[in-house]
């Protein structure tokens, strides 16, 4: 089977990930299209807040100060591919929960052009982005501000049940294994993710394969309570998770 060509937008993003900044002319030469076409591509990527236009060119957009901005740049191609697959699971009219992970943020960007879903989130970044760039219904959960993830934590779990049933909770992780389940470093984050999962009909974990070697001392959920994993095709533990009863989607990383 012939591998489909890498989408031009992914190629542009990959080039920008490897360089601090590139001009329109450089991008046009490397991608093999006209400068007019590159400008249109950059405009589209800018509307999705994936890049920042600068005079004569573009650079990757930092999502603000702090750790979230750094996490958004780590394994970005894998996270975008995972987010695209996750977006396919969001049915019209559904209610979904997004946590404050970087991969969930990329999923929010994938959904920004839609107006047929409700997003429940504790991520201030997700709420702000969708509030400015989409017509989706957004419910921002209250609580205490956690600056490192730019999120709210500590809201009463029963608050979520008062809203009604959530169809799917999409959660990032610090680490995971089929024996230990989904894990988080922060107790407050683990507690918040557990509350989102508890209010949802199904839980979907979103993570790049590096998290297989990640660390987290606080359990979010045991493997038996995880409905689906969406990760990249370098994830080494897919068979173990399937034996635990989870669906595992392994997506290829563009350009790899």
């Amino acid at each position: 089977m012939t591998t489909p060509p890498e989408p031009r937008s992914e190629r542009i993003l990959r080039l920008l990930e490897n360089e601090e900044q590139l001009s329109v002319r450089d991008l046009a030469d490397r991608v093999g299209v006209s400068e007019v076409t590159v400008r249109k591509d950059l405009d589209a990527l800018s509307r999705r807040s994936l890049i920042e236009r600068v005079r004569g060119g573009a650079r990757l957009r930092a999502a603000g100060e702090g750790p979230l901005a750094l996490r958004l740049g780590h394994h970005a191609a894998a996270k975008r591919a995972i987010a695209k697959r996750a977006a396919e699971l969001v049915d019209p009219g559904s209610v979904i929960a997004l946590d404050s992970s970087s991969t969930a943020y990329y999923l929010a960007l994938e959904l920004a052009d839609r107006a047929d879903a409700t997003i429940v989130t504790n991520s201030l970044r997700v709420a702000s982005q969708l509030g400015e760039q989409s017509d989706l219904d957004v419910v921002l959960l209250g609580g205490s501000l956690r600056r490192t993830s730019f999120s709210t934590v500590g809201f009463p779990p029963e608050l979520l049940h008062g809203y009604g049933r959530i169809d799917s909770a999409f959660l990032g992780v610090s680490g995971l294994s089929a024996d230990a389940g989904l894990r988080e470093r922060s107790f407050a984050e683990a507690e918040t993710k557990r509350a989102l999962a508890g209010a949802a009909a199904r839980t979907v974990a979103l993570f790049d394969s590096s998290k297989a070697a990640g660390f987290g001392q606080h359990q979010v959920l045991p493997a038996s309570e995880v409905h689906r994993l969406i990760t990249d095709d370098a994830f080494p533990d897919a068979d173990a998770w399937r034996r635990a009863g989870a669906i595992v989607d392994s997506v290829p990383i563009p350009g790899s």
Side-chain angles (χ1 to χ4, degrees), residues 128-251:
S128 175
Q129 179 67 27
L130 293 181
E132 293 176 0
Q133 301 291 336
S134 83
D135 293 322
L136 290 163
D137 291 330
V138 179
V139 177
L140 177 61
L141 298 170
S144 300
L145 174 64
R146 186 166 187 262
R147 288 179 173 82
T148 54
S149 58
F150 208 53
S151 64
T152 59
V153 295
F155 54 83
E158 57 270 19
L159 176 69
L160 282 168
H161 294 284
Y163 290 157
R165 194 64 165 166
I166 294 170
D167 296 302
S168 297
F170 292 92
L171 308 179
V173 295
S174 291
L176 77 163
S177 74
D179 293 328
L182 307 183
R183 314 290 293 185
E184 269 299 330
R185 289 177 178 270
S186 160
F187 175 76
E189 288 287 352
E191 208 172 38
T192 298
K193 292 173 192 276
R194 195 178 304 119
L196 292 172
R202 63 192 65 84
T203 299
V204 182
L206 307 177
F207 59 95
D208 67 84
S209 57
S210 71
K211 298 300 176 64
F215 175 79
Q217 61 267 53
H218 303 291
Q219 187 184 70
V220 177
L221 289 175
S224 60
E225 295 181 22
V226 181
H227 176 73
R228 184 185 295 261
L229 310 182
I230 306 179
T231 184
D232 61 74
D233 53 10
F235 181 56
D237 299 330
D239 289 342
W241 276 90
R242 289 187 179 108
R243 288 193 295 271
I247 299 167
V248 181
D249 288 347
S250 299
V251 300

Side-chain angles (χ1 to χ4, degrees), residues 48-50 61-64 68 71-72 79 83 98-111 123-130 170 206:
R48 295 173 59 199
S49 295
L50 289 172
R61 182 179 188 270
L68 177 60
R71 294 202 312 272
L72 284 169
K79 291 175 181 178
L98 300 181
D99 69 1
S100 59
S101 64
S102 56
T103 313
Y105 178 80
Y106 280 118
L107 174 53
L109 296 183
E110 289 295 322
L111 299 172
S123 169
L124 300 179
R125 194 78 65 194
V126 166
S128 175
Q129 179 67 27
L130 293 181
F170 292 92
L206 307 177

